[in-house]
Amino acid sequence: MNRSIVPVLILLAACSKPKSSTVSLPADPLPSRGFEPPVMILPDPGVEYPPALFDQGIEGKVVLRLFTDTAGHILPESTRVAESSGFPALDSAAVNAAPRFVFSPGRSNGAPAATAFLQPIHFRHPPRGGTTP
């Protein structure tokens, strides 16, 4: 064998992955599990933007970990900040608003189910010329 080809063959063998490491995922895994997460049904959940942060142009996103019962009601004592915005006032505003959120219940195999899930809350300034909260 030609000595100049040997290093190339070694590199190709080292860089190739065995076919058994490839995993195929279903296109949409949720239907096969029979689970549907809760859906917010009130378009404006009434989250109060802290005025001092609004005036300073501070924006952020808070991710809340919520738990709904089989009727879609939030259990307020279970509400937690899963991902902070970095601004305690935004985090507090999101947590304080959670009891006012209205959800359709989560479903498991078509039946209402108590569900823990993550809900993002965005604090954004309106475009120039928009109104304040």
Side-chain angles (χ1 to χ4, degrees):
M1 183 177 279
N2 185 343
R3 293 185 131 209
S4 63
I5 295 178
V6 173
V8 172
L9 292 175
I10 292 172
L11 285 173
L12 286 175
C15 293
S16 66
K17 292 182 180 180
K19 289 181 183 179
S20 62
S21 69
T22 303
V23 177
S24 297
L25 297 175
D28 190 3
L30 290 180
S32 65
R33 293 184 186 151
F35 174 77
E36 298 172 38
V39 175
M40 190 177 285
I41 57 176
L42 185 64
D44 180 8
V47 180
E48 186 177 332
Y49 206 128
L53 296 182
F54 182 86
D55 292 344
Q56 295 175 43
I58 293 175
E59 298 182 332
K61 177 179 88 169
V62 180
V63 179
L64 296 178
R65 180 165 190 73
L66 303 174
F67 186 86
T68 56
D69 61 16
T70 56
H73 299 123
I74 296 289
L75 301 179
E77 63 277 0
S78 68
T79 300
R80 301 282 183 266
V81 174
E83 183 182 317
S84 173
S85 64
F87 298 95
L90 294 181
D91 297 350
S92 292
V95 170
N96 291 337
R100 296 188 301 273
F101 297 169
V102 179
F103 288 89
S104 65
R107 296 184 126 12
S108 179
N109 295 320
T115 309
F117 61 102
L118 299 176
Q119 179 68 44
I121 308 296
H122 298 274
F123 292 89
R124 295 187 184 123
H125 258 248
R128 290 190 184 267
T131 60
T132 60

